[in-house]
Amino acid sequence: MSHCEPDGASSGKEGDLHLAIVGSPNAGKTTMFNALTGLRAKTANYPGVTVSRREGTVQLAERGITLVDLPGTYGLDAISPDEQIVTDALQGMIPGVDRPDALAVVADASTLERSMLFVADLLHLGLPTCLIVTMVDELAARGGSVDLERLSGALGIPVVGVIGHRGIGLDGVRELFADPESWSRPVLEPPSDGAGRSAWVDSVLRSSFKAPGPDRRTRRVDDVLLHPVWGVLVFLVVMLAFFQAIFTLAAPVIDALDGVFADLAGAVKDAIPGWFGELIGDGAIAGVGGVLVFLPQITLLFLIITLLEKVGYLARASFLADRLMARFGLEGRSFVSMLSS
């Protein structure tokens, strides 16, 4: 059983314990969060910034656990506002927002090596920490494997494997989340220096992880989409189709809405003669209609952006745009915000 409470500063009413879910983008973090909270989480912005956060309270073993889905990040050395929010939230530096009592790190099984450096950073925070390895089915399909028990022993923290979109392994996650105080902790913290940390990652994964083979389909796609010439041409074609679709596909709905509000305004003016009818018809109804006619374009815009993100093209487009954005002191991901605007 799960339910969600409104966002805001943490309080005892929202849950006996606050648990932050962290991980890199596209690791399956939000999918797992939605499955645990029943898709009824509340979204709001952190104080003073436009970065959003999502919270939901899950009732586990007669105890309220408030889950906080933090923005995706690759580490605690922030290079963007959303990554800085993660760092500040984990260190309890955001006014009105309590520091989490425990951490759940979500890592994609196929890129587990990259996530280990982030895990090392988080272990230095001194909070009870567990690791949730997602997409273990995709890892196996590509010839890789991970021994969760050995990985847990090497890290010194609990490790659970899940297949989020199928709901496999979520019972183990719920059981784990019900009692963070009992989580094991590393005897020794990971090294702080770069060379020592790399050696630590190698030692952790040596006996527990077999890297997957290259995904030939993804490589063939990347050879085209990330090519300095063909990739740019595909990017221009996608952007042209993107904007053309927004204006072309939305046009019939816009015309229909415009006609509905025009007819409604005319009917009101016919029914209520004089200045009051014109105020209601030309002012209120036509004014509201003038705003709502843009709704089809806005809806289509976000549907297409979501589609491009799901198929993985936005990440590749951001990579292509990174060099151009760098000239203006921005990073490639800024391209997505500019696309939305």
Side-chain angles (χ1 to χ4, degrees):
M1 175 182 179
S2 64
H3 64 281
C4 297
E5 303 291 347
D7 273 35
S10 301
S11 67
K13 293 186 298 182
E14 293 182 354
D16 299 330
L17 181 140
H18 286 73
L19 192 151
I21 301 177
V22 296
S24 60
N26 302 316
K29 176 172 57 67
T30 300
T31 299
M32 190 190 69
F33 175 85
N34 289 339
L36 292 173
T37 59
L39 296 175
R40 293 191 296 272
K42 301 296 182 181
T43 301
N45 289 343
Y46 281 95
V49 296
T50 59
V51 179
S52 63
R53 60 174 173 156
R54 305 174 71 233
E55 288 189 1
T57 302
V58 183
Q59 200 70 24
L60 300 173
E62 300 182 357
R63 180 185 194 185
I65 308 292
T66 298
L67 302 181
V68 183
D69 182 17
L70 293 175
T73 180
Y74 294 100
L76 296 182
D77 295 327
I79 60 173
S80 65
D82 50 343
E83 292 182 351
Q84 187 63 53
I85 282 292
V86 175
T87 301
D88 292 344
L90 295 180
Q91 295 176 348
M93 299 174 60
I94 302 179
V97 179
D98 288 348
R99 189 188 190 200
D101 302 300
L103 302 177
V105 190
V106 179
D108 180 353
S110 61
T111 58
L112 196 57
E113 294 176 85
R114 288 188 296 182
S115 298
M116 284 299 102
L117 293 175
F118 188 23
V119 172
D121 286 337
L122 295 172
L123 291 178
H124 281 279
L125 296 177
L127 296 171
T129 303
C130 71
L131 175 64
I132 300 171
V133 181
T134 62
M135 308 181 197
V136 291
D137 56 334
E138 295 186 17
L139 175 67
R142 292 172 52 187
S145 64
V146 56
D147 188 322
L148 300 178
E149 187 174 347
R150 287 187 175 182
L151 182 60
S152 176
L155 289 172
I157 61 176
V159 178
V160 177
V162 302
I163 304 176
H165 64 282
R166 297 182 184 175
I168 299 175
L170 291 180
D171 288 340
V173 173
R174 293 187 181 96
E175 182 179 347
L176 192 64
F177 283 5
D179 188 19
E181 292 86 353
S182 67
W183 294 355
S184 57
R185 300 200 185 193
V187 177
L188 297 174
E189 290 185 344
S192 301
D193 61 289
R197 188 164 292 191
S198 297
W200 176 82
V201 171
D202 291 338
S203 67
V204 166
L205 297 179
R206 186 177 300 120
S207 62
S208 60
F209 179 69
K210 177 185 176 183
D215 190 327
R216 295 180 180 179
R217 292 175 300 176
T218 300
R219 176 169 293 182
R220 285 197 293 265
V221 169
D222 287 345
D223 286 343
V224 176
L225 297 183
L226 300 181
H227 192 274
V229 176
W230 299 115
V232 172
L233 291 177
V234 172
F235 175 81
L236 294 176
V237 170
V238 170
M239 291 300 101
L240 177 62
F242 176 82
F243 289 108
Q244 187 65 28
I246 289 175
F247 290 99
T248 302
L249 297 180
V253 184
I254 291 176
D255 293 340
L257 280 176
D258 196 26
V260 168
F261 281 101
D263 293 342
L264 184 58
V268 168
K269 289 191 291 184
D270 291 340
I272 307 176
W275 66 269
F276 187 69
E278 293 179 355
L279 176 65
I280 299 298
D282 294 334
I285 296 177
V288 171
V291 175
L292 290 183
V293 292
F294 291 103
L295 186 60
Q297 287 182 326
I298 296 172
T299 303
L300 193 58
L301 166 73
F302 286 103
L303 283 176
I304 297 177
I305 288 180
T306 301
L307 176 62
L308 292 176
E309 181 181 14
K310 292 297 183 183
V311 300
Y313 185 72
L314 275 192
R316 292 170 171 85
S318 298
F319 179 83
L320 284 175
D322 188 69
R323 181 176 297 178
L324 176 62
M325 295 291 101
R327 297 181 180 181
F328 304 96
L330 302 172
E331 53 180 352
R333 290 182 297 177
S334 304
F335 150 77
V336 180
S337 301
M338 297 178 66
L339 185 64
S340 302
S341 63

